[in-house]
């Protein structure tokens, strides 16, 4: 073993920055470049990898798992490299590690930051117990396009909701302090604009005005930076002609200068090398140059930094002080994580993964993520005493793997409890269960299983269908142009619907599907996203009424693909549509004369409205909003308005409602959205109970970037709505004084 230079033990002072500076001063250029390089461990601990770590040529590794191997990798870094600098060990811990939570979009449907934080804490503990100290999450890209497969990983379409829930995830992953043994560094991604990929096709071009960037896309990143996120990942995308991984405006001006971010930036996988493929750099050397110029501290997987930084320095294209700064940014996070003191992991220091407490968190997350979209004649909850024969049909009823969703490299399929298992356990022998898959997978396009499914349905008084999309149909690079239920699922549904039984459809999917046709074939529709390990018990509790649905959709459900992009906070346009304006294609007389007078903005074949609006979700009870009151009719800039509203449970069971506050700034220096979410609260109400709910709205909460890109709150009139979804009708107005 080489003689190792001591790093922290003999430093004069414990102060973090001094320790960082001291170390940087003693590093060779090759060791500095090493810190800026992240390699993939996918091939295991090969001789080449061992040598590279010994030579100080690796700062971080991703996708190597297994405690023994990771401890050995850290040991090589600590004991066999000259300076003994520990490695950052990264992994995509996106929605759970071994115990799987619902996909992030599903978690977002809970609108419950506390629960989401708990889930991220659990994931951090499980990952940290196996030697991982860095996750590439949360993904806080705003998207309005469900064709995009990665919508599954987002927290939905809304800036405010994503900011609150993204911050909660960061806090959960990073714990009270990064140096806690069970904290892992979070990484917000993908900075920025990735969710606006043209036509919802992954990696495609992105065109977003600076106004849209600053008002819609960037605020969640800002919120997470303010919450202390340790790292940030660039997007693959070409943003307005300047790929995000070479985008100085994003990385220097906004992130460092305006927001004062002090963590470090990692590129996405190969994204530095891809600057050449974009046609933004002529070769790998210039790709390294552009990424360095822009402010990418660490390169993921591709080796442009390794190969070319020395040349760029020699040729005077970059200065060594930039390199030193990037290395400092990376080392600071390593020190903050306490890795120099505690590089190794002992499993015994952690609770076991998948313990009952963790399973309970996963179950609660799955339960609160389910959104009840339709419940005609109160078909749900099912009353056991009324059922003798129950059909359970569909490719997603008993598929442990598929219910985990995308990004589940480490998820334990064998821990998953499926709906079929959970329902069997719940009903015991009180009900005869008739099972038929109907379709082999969600993509199956034949009728081979139809007769067995129809037979099961005929024998039953109630039919439960589990359909949707397999996990692989969403996630990275898995975009769809047609987002109906795939395969022959609608055909099977239609034939079952014709039997006239009570039919309940549960959909598990990675995106909001277009359900225009589907919804008519079922009396009740529960949207479970991909619910993770405990999806089965959570769904069973909801179906049989042990719990009432809480979830509200964090994304608008289009009727048809042609409505995309569709989102609640649109602009008014100069010709907004009223219900009475909508004409459908077939109602237009033949050879009707063309006129533009009185025309408004809608589709002749889809109208104006989505299938389900943002924030929508039913409960087993009914809620009534009334008596909205404001603390003042007018306030001054710098003051806070209090909005109070009464919420009554007018139905027949105790339940939780997610109360939402929307605002419209009537006139602005730039046009403003017709509604913007500004607050939300979970409220639990007993039967017949009424509660007063209060929201505080500070004038700074109404700020936006104006024509000059100044963040301002403008005096004038504002409308307010409070209710259970983005179409809330209980309204009030107030003014900010000039
Ligand atoms: C590419 C993905 O875009 C990113 O989200 C992920 O974290 C990295 N690969 C690492 O796996």
């Amino acid at each position: 073993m080489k003689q190792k230079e001591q790093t922290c033990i003999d430093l004069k002072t414990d102060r973090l920055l001094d320790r960082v500076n001291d170390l940087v001063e003693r590093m060779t250029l090759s060791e500095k470049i090493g810190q800026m390089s992240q390699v993939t461990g996918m091939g295991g601990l090969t001789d080449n990898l061992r040598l590279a770590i010994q030579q100080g040529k690796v700062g971080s590794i991703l996708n190597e798992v297994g405690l023994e191997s990771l401890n050995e990798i850290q040991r090589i870094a600590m004991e066999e490299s000259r300076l003994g600098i520990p490695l950052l060990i990264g992994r995509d811990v996106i929605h759970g590690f071994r115990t799987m939570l619902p996909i992030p979009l599903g978690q977002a449907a809970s609108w419950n930051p506390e629960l989401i934080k708990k889930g991220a804490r659990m994931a951090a503990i499980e990952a940290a117990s196996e030697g991982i100290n860095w996750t590439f999450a949360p993904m806080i890209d705003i998207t309005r396009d469900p064709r995009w497969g990665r919508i599954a990983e987002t927290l939905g379409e809304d800036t405010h909701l994503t900011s609150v829930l993204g911050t909660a995830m960061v806090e959960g992953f990073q714990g009270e302090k990064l140096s806690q043994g069970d904290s892992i560094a979070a990484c917000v991604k993908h900075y920025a604009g990735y969710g606006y990929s043209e036509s919802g096709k992954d990696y495609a071009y992105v065109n977003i005005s600076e106004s849209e960037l600053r008002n819609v896309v960037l605020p969640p990143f800002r919120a997470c930076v303010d919450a202390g996120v340790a790292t940030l990942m660039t997007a693959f995308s070409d943003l307005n002609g300047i790929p995000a991984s070479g985008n100085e405006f994003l990385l220097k001006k906004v992130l460092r200068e305006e927001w004062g971010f002090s963590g470090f930036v990692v590129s996405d996988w190969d994204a530095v090398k891809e600057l050449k493929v974009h046609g933004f750099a002529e070769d790998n050397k210039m790709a390294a140059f552009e990424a360095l110029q822009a402010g990418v501290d660490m390169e993921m997987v591709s080796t442009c930094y390794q190969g070319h930084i020395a040349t760029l320095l020699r040729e005077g294209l970059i200065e060594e002080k930039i390199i030193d700064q990037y290395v400092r940014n990376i080392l600071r996070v390593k020190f903050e994580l306490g890795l120099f003191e505690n590089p190794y992991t002992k499993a015994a220091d952690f609770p076991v993964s998948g313990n009952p407490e963790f399973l309970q968190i996963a179950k609660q997350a799955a339960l609160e993520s389910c959104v009840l979209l339709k419940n005609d004649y109160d078909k749900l909850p099912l009353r056991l005493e009324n059922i003798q024969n129950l059909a359970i049909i569909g490719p997603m009823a008993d598929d442990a793997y598929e219910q985990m969703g995308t990004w589940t490299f480490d998820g334990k399929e064998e821990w998953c409890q499926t709906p079929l298992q959970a329902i069997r356990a719940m009903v015991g022998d009180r009900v005869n269960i008739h099972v038929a898959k109907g379709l082999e997978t969600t993509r199956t396009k034949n009728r081979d299983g139809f007769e067995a499914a129809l037979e099961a349905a005929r024998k039953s008084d109630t039919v439960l269908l589990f359909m949707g999309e397999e996990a692989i149909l969403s996630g990275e690079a898995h975009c769809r142009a047609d987002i109906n239920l795939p395969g022959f699922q609608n055909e099977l549904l239609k034939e079952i619907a014709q039997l006239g039984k009570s039919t309940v459809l549960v959909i598990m999917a990675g995106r909001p599907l277009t359900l225009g046709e589907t919804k008519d074939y079922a009396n009740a529709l529960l949207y479970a996203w991909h619910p993770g390990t405990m999806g089965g018990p959570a769904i069973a509790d909801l179906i049989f009424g042990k719990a009432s649905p809480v979830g509200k959709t964090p994304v608008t459900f289009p009727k048809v693909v042609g409505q995309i992009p569709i989102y609640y906070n649109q602009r008014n346009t100069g010709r907004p549509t009223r219900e009475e304006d909508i004409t459908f294609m077939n109602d237009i007389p033949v050879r009707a004369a063309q006129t533009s007078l009185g025309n408004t903005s809608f589709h002749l074949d889809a109208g104006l409205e989505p299938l389900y609006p943002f924030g929508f979700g039913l409960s087993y009870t009914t809620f009534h909003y009334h008596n909205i009151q404001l603390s003042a009719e007018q306030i001054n800039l710098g003051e806070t308005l209090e909005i109070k509203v009464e919420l009554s449970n007018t139905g027949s069971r105790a339940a939780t409602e997610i109360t939402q506050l929307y605002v419209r700034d009537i006139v602005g220096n730039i046009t403003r959205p017709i509604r913007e979410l500004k607050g939300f609260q979970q409220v639990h109400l007993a039967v017949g109970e009424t509660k007063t709910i209060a929201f505080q709205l500070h004038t700074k909460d109404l700020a936006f970037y104006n024509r000059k890109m100044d963040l301002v709150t403008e005096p004038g009139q504002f409308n307010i709505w409070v209710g259970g979804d983005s179409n809330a009708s209980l309204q009030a107005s107030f003014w900010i004084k000039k």
Side-chain angles (χ1 to χ4, degrees):
M1 192 204 303
K2 276 194 220 134
Q3 188 58 40
K4 175 171 91 80
E5 254 194 56
Q6 288 206 307
T7 49
C8 48
I9 307 154
D10 64 345
L11 296 179
K12 296 167 223 77
T13 161
D14 239 5
R15 286 185 42 229
L16 193 135
L17 281 183
D18 290 348
R19 295 173 75 180
V20 168
N21 288 334
D22 174 88
L23 193 46
V24 173
E25 274 168 30
R26 290 184 288 135
M27 291 170 83
T28 62
L29 178 62
S30 159
E31 285 163 339
K32 291 177 189 170
I33 300 169
Q35 287 305 305
M36 297 166 70
S37 305
Q38 182 182 53
V39 302
T40 165
M42 253 142 70
L45 181 50
T46 57
D47 288 347
N48 280 348
L49 179 58
R50 184 181 291 273
L51 186 64
I53 300 172
Q54 285 166 337
Q55 292 174 336
K57 288 189 170 160
V58 179
S60 170
I61 183 165
L62 84 160
N63 289 348
E64 170 63 5
V65 276
L67 183 52
E68 215 178 297
S69 161
L70 288 175
N71 272 336
E72 171 61 5
I73 282 174
Q74 285 293 34
R75 192 199 61 74
I76 300 168
M78 295 302 291
E79 295 182 6
E80 298 182 8
S81 73
R82 192 179 75 88
L83 291 169
I85 302 177
L87 299 184
L88 282 166
I89 297 182
R91 185 73 167 162
D92 288 287
V93 181
I94 307 295
H95 56 111
F97 182 63
R98 300 289 183 197
T99 308
M100 296 313 300
L101 297 156
I103 53 168
L105 189 61
Q107 290 183 56
S110 74
W111 296 52
N112 187 341
E114 275 311 307
L115 181 59
I116 285 176
K117 183 169 166 181
K118 260 196 206 166
R121 192 85 286 279
M122 172 197 88
I125 293 170
E126 288 194 353
S129 77
E130 298 194 32
I132 288 156
N133 53 40
W134 185 17
T135 177
F136 306 119
M139 197 239 246
I140 51 173
D141 295 316
I142 298 295
T143 189
R144 292 155 170 180
D145 198 328
R147 292 172 298 184
W148 191 47
R150 302 200 80 169
I151 195 171
E153 303 170 49
T154 72
L155 298 168
E157 73 185 36
D158 184 62
T159 302
H160 179 70
L161 186 63
T162 300
S163 299
V164 174
L165 303 185
T167 303
M169 275 195 186
V170 169
E171 289 170 354
F173 286 130
Q174 297 195 164
E176 298 273 293
K177 279 194 294 192
L178 267 182
S179 58
Q180 260 170 233
D182 60 7
S183 288
I184 60 178
C187 180
V188 285
K189 66 188 189 185
H190 304 85
Y191 190 70
Y194 188 34
Y196 278 54
S197 296
E198 276 182 350
S199 72
K201 204 168 47 169
D202 215 355
Y203 318 124
Y205 182 65
V206 167
N207 190 330
I208 312 181
S209 68
E210 185 176 342
S211 173
E212 181 83 353
L213 263 180
R214 288 188 179 275
N215 284 310
V216 180
V217 174
L218 297 184
F221 288 93
R222 174 72 196 261
C224 290
V225 165
D226 289 348
V229 71
T231 71
L232 184 143
M233 187 188 294
T234 61
F236 283 125
S237 339
D238 174 349
L239 173 69
N240 303 333
I242 304 178
S245 303
N247 197 308
E248 224 173 310
F249 166 76
L250 286 178
L251 295 169
K252 272 201 185 137
K253 181 163 189 312
V254 177
L255 183 66
R256 299 284 183 191
E257 289 167 24
E258 296 180 19
W259 301 351
F261 177 61
S262 62
F264 76 86
V265 175
V266 63
S267 75
D268 202 340
W269 186 293
D270 275 354
V272 174
K273 187 171 85 179
E274 288 171 12
L275 291 175
K276 173 172 169 261
V277 188
H278 280 291
F280 186 69
E282 65 186 79
D283 53 21
N284 286 350
K285 181 179 94 180
M286 291 317 285
F289 169 77
E290 294 291 356
L292 288 166
Q293 270 300 100
V296 176
D297 302 283
M298 183 184 279
E299 179 180 10
M300 185 188 284
V301 180
S302 56
T303 53
C304 305
Y305 282 10
Q306 277 289 354
H308 303 285
I309 285 182
T311 318
L312 290 167
L313 283 169
R314 218 178 309 117
E315 292 175 356
L317 284 169
I318 48 166
E319 294 175 281
E320 187 149 358
K321 67 175 192 220
I322 297 186
I323 303 298
D324 288 352
Q325 185 52 44
Y326 293 1
V327 174
R328 265 190 226 110
N329 294 340
I330 295 162
L331 290 178
R332 199 181 311 120
V333 172
K334 293 189 174 185
F335 275 110
E336 278 169 0
L337 276 165
L339 292 180
F340 286 86
E341 290 76 17
N342 298 304
Y344 307 117
T345 304
K346 276 201 249 97
D349 293 343
F350 295 84
V352 289
S353 294
N355 63 59
E357 189 198 333
F358 289 179
L359 292 180
Q360 183 50 38
I361 293 172
K363 179 178 172 188
Q364 192 60 26
L367 196 140
E368 293 194 25
S369 75
C370 287
V371 184
L372 182 63
L373 293 175
K374 174 177 175 179
N375 196 15
D376 286 355
Y377 317 111
D378 289 338
K379 284 288 177 205
L380 284 177
L382 300 182
R383 287 151 198 92
L384 265 183
E385 59 279 14
N386 299 341
I387 303 174
Q388 277 166 0
N389 287 286
L390 177 68
I392 298 187
I393 296 173
M396 298 296 279
D398 192 28
D399 199 324
Y401 177 77
E402 301 300 349
Q403 77 182 41
M404 291 195 293
T406 186
W407 284 124
T408 50
F409 295 147
D410 307 296
K412 290 278 190 191
E413 182 183 342
E414 59 276 26
W415 295 356
C416 284
Q417 298 182 33
T418 67
L420 179 64
Q421 291 166 342
I423 292 169
R424 278 196 199 284
M426 185 177 278
V427 305
D429 50 18
R430 280 177 291 173
V431 174
N432 301 317
I433 295 184
H434 306 286
V435 181
K437 251 182 146 181
L439 292 158
E440 198 42 41
T441 72
T442 65
R443 283 173 284 168
T444 301
K445 279 194 171 176
N446 64 53
R447 291 185 145 76
D448 296 353
F450 276 30
E451 190 38 46
L454 288 163
E455 187 49 29
R458 276 187 215 109
K459 280 196 268 186
S460 305
D461 26 73
T462 300
V463 182
L464 271 178
L465 289 135
F466 291 88
M467 297 193 161
E469 282 180 321
E470 296 146 66
I472 198 64
L473 299 185
S474 59
E476 186 176 348
H478 288 79
C479 307
R480 299 179 56 202
D482 168 355
I483 54 170
N484 280 334
L485 277 176
F488 275 11
Q489 295 185 90
N490 272 332
E491 285 79 349
L492 177 59
L493 269 172
K494 187 174 178 184
E495 293 193 22
I496 289 175
Q498 282 163 356
L499 300 177
K501 307 277 179 172
S502 280
T503 306
V504 173
L505 173 61
V506 178
I507 292 188
M508 297 186 195
R511 54 165 65 78
L513 295 166
T514 41
L515 303 172
E517 177 186 356
T518 307
K519 72 162 196 333
D520 297 332
Y521 299 140
N523 303 115
L525 175 53
L526 185 69
Y527 217 79
W529 316 98
H530 286 128
T533 306
M534 294 298 283
I539 291 168
D541 278 8
L542 291 169
I543 287 178
F544 290 99
K546 280 198 168 180
S548 179
V550 186
K552 302 272 189 177
T553 176
V555 68
T556 305
F557 276 69
K559 286 185 220 160
V560 290
V561 160
Q563 290 182 298
I564 297 170
I566 185 165
Y567 51 97
Y568 81 96
N569 48 349
Q570 300 189 356
R571 305 301 169 103
N572 203 35
T573 80
R575 293 188 169 197
T577 304
R578 295 160 308 165
E579 200 50 46
E580 59 269 31
D581 295 334
I582 295 173
T583 323
F584 284 93
M585 224 151 53
N586 294 341
D587 300 332
I588 303 175
V590 174
R591 291 183 177 271
Q594 185 187 345
T595 170
S596 64
L597 288 180
N599 288 349
T600 59
S601 174
F602 64 91
H603 290 119
L604 284 178
D605 45 2
L608 177 70
E609 295 298 327
L611 191 62
Y612 300 109
F614 174 81
F616 175 79
L618 300 168
S619 164
Y620 292 156
T621 196
T622 46
F623 295 107
H624 175 54
Y625 286 90
H626 50 114
N627 199 15
I628 187 166
Q629 287 186 339
L630 308 185
S631 57
E633 267 181 23
Q634 287 197 27
I635 55 170
N636 292 306
L637 281 171
E639 289 180 351
T640 298
L641 180 79
E642 186 174 57
I643 300 126
K644 281 190 179 160
V645 74
E646 283 177 33
L647 175 63
S648 304
N649 181 344
T650 48
S652 56
R653 56 178 297 157
T656 301
E657 165 74 327
I658 297 164
T659 298
Q660 301 156 42
L661 168 73
Y662 293 90
V663 173
R664 177 167 178 190
D665 183 350
I666 302 294
V667 179
N669 167 278
I670 59 166
T671 59
R672 310 289 297 119
I674 48 175
R675 285 188 185 197
E676 285 182 293
L677 182 74
K678 290 293 176 187
F680 54 91
Q681 295 179 29
Q682 273 215 353
V683 189
H684 188 78
L685 290 180
V687 176
E689 191 182 6
T690 295
K691 276 188 183 161
T692 302
I693 303 161
F695 287 98
Q696 313 291 325
L697 190 66
H698 191 275
T699 56
K700 73 172 175 346
D701 300 329
L702 300 165
F704 64 96
Y705 287 88
N706 66 11
R707 288 179 222 185
K708 293 185 180 154
M709 297 306 143
D710 292 330
L711 185 63
V712 292
T713 302
E714 291 182 347
Q717 187 192 344
F718 293 81
N719 286 351
I720 284 191
W721 295 264
V722 180
D725 62 51
S726 55
N727 282 340
S729 56
L730 189 65
Q731 192 208 315
S733 297
F734 74 98
W735 279 256
I736 296 181
K737 279 190 228 156
K738 292 217 186 291

